[in-house]
Amino acid sequence: MINIVMSTEFPNLVDEVKKYGFNVIPSENIDILHKFESRHGDMQCLKINDTCFVLKECKCLQEELSAYCDNILVTDKPIEKLYPNNILLNAAFIDNKLFCNTKVIDESVKRYCKENCIELANVKQGYTKCSTAIIDDLFITADVGIFNSMTANGVEGLLIKSGDIDLNGVEYGFIGGCCFSDGDNVYFTGDILKHSDGKLICDFLHKHSKNVICLSNEKLYDIGGFVIV
């Protein structure tokens, strides 16, 4: 069974994820963060190869993950409410490169990357993982800076329009927060065709032999991503 860290704020969505054979590990509610991101898994946990990085504040998540991940590293710094000190683990790992804002990513991550010959690729957008859907060796983003950096590093991707993804408390959410991939399947929290670039996204995924699975008939909603551990 594949283990996945995600917010359990939406029980119907959790039930749908479980129907596809995933074991759901709940993210925590981090009170110090803004309410709209306080349960976001991609703010609390980062997986690189066989190592899970977890916020030092997430004691329950650390304990839960210890049953599934042999190597757990805890952040050096405490998380803070205001950007950019809330995005200590917000990074996208693809093609043995870690794309992130290198000024704010936690030192524990930097040390690991240096020790394991993983290149750090700097991007301006601190919410790197939130902004990016990673599908094996492909990516989708609405952030031009991330798109340019990843394509310059030889990663194939798709640039989409911003918006059309709900997130209560802010103008809109991000593509990385509303989908995940496992094998040939790409799962979305809502109906991908309700996104203005939905057909473009589907065409891109189908071109690469990926199946699109919509976990609800609602508009896409950014729940804070899914971290497969």
Side-chain angles (χ1 to χ4, degrees):
M1 183 176 287
I2 296 172
N3 306 295
I4 191 165
V5 177
M6 63 177 286
S7 168
T8 54
E9 186 177 2
F10 304 96
N12 290 343
L13 189 59
V14 172
D15 289 343
E16 286 300 312
V17 170
K18 288 180 176 179
K19 286 179 183 178
Y20 285 95
F22 295 96
N23 175 47
V24 172
I25 301 171
S27 61
E28 294 193 43
N29 185 17
I30 306 299
D31 291 335
I32 195 171
L33 295 174
H34 290 289
K35 186 175 181 180
F36 65 82
E37 63 187 11
S38 64
R39 294 178 180 269
H40 283 196
D42 53 19
M43 303 284 287
Q44 302 177 20
C45 180
L46 169 66
K47 178 78 180 295
I48 304 178
N49 296 328
D50 62 349
T51 298
C52 288
F53 295 85
V54 187
L55 292 180
K56 64 192 310 178
E57 292 81 2
C58 294
K59 305 297 185 186
C60 293
L61 185 56
Q62 292 170 36
E63 184 176 353
E64 189 88 30
L65 286 174
S66 66
Y68 309 107
C69 187
D70 291 334
N71 192 22
I72 296 176
L73 296 179
V74 177
T75 50
D76 290 357
K77 287 174 58 178
I79 199 166
E80 297 179 21
K81 183 172 187 174
L82 298 181
Y83 180 91
N85 295 318
N86 61 338
I87 51 168
L88 304 178
L89 295 179
N90 214 293
F93 181 63
I94 185 170
D95 194 27
N96 206 47
K97 297 181 179 68
L98 190 72
F99 293 84
C100 60
N101 185 317
T102 56
K103 293 181 180 178
V104 295
I105 202 73
D106 195 71
E107 288 297 325
S108 63
V109 178
K110 291 182 182 179
R111 286 196 302 272
Y112 175 89
C113 289
K114 184 176 181 179
E115 291 167 1
N116 291 276
C117 300
I118 295 169
E119 180 183 344
L120 288 175
N122 184 58
V123 294
K124 184 177 180 181
Q125 171 60 270
Y127 286 100
T128 314
K129 182 60 184 75
C130 298
S131 303
T132 314
I134 303 295
I135 304 107
D136 293 334
D137 56 351
L138 308 167
F139 75 95
I140 302 171
T141 187
D143 187 282
V144 174
I146 292 174
F147 179 82
N148 289 340
S149 178
M150 287 193 171
T151 52
N153 278 276
V155 187
E156 184 177 354
L158 176 68
L159 183 65
I160 61 171
K161 301 183 187 73
S162 297
D164 278 340
I165 300 169
D166 287 344
L167 178 56
N168 290 340
V170 291
E171 185 179 356
Y172 56 82
F174 296 120
I175 187 68
C178 66
C179 68
F180 71 99
S181 70
D182 176 51
D184 291 334
N185 296 327
V186 184
Y187 301 82
F188 291 91
T189 58
D191 184 349
I192 187 61
L193 292 179
K194 290 184 177 178
H195 190 284
S196 57
D197 277 337
K199 186 178 184 304
L200 187 67
I201 293 169
C202 287
D203 289 346
F204 175 74
L205 294 174
H206 291 155
K207 172 188 171 184
H208 294 280
S209 302
K210 301 297 182 183
N211 305 310
V212 174
I213 296 174
C214 299
L215 298 169
S216 81
N217 295 320
E218 305 299 320
K219 187 177 177 182
L220 294 177
Y221 191 88
D222 180 349
I223 71 157
F226 305 77
V227 183
I228 293 179
V229 297

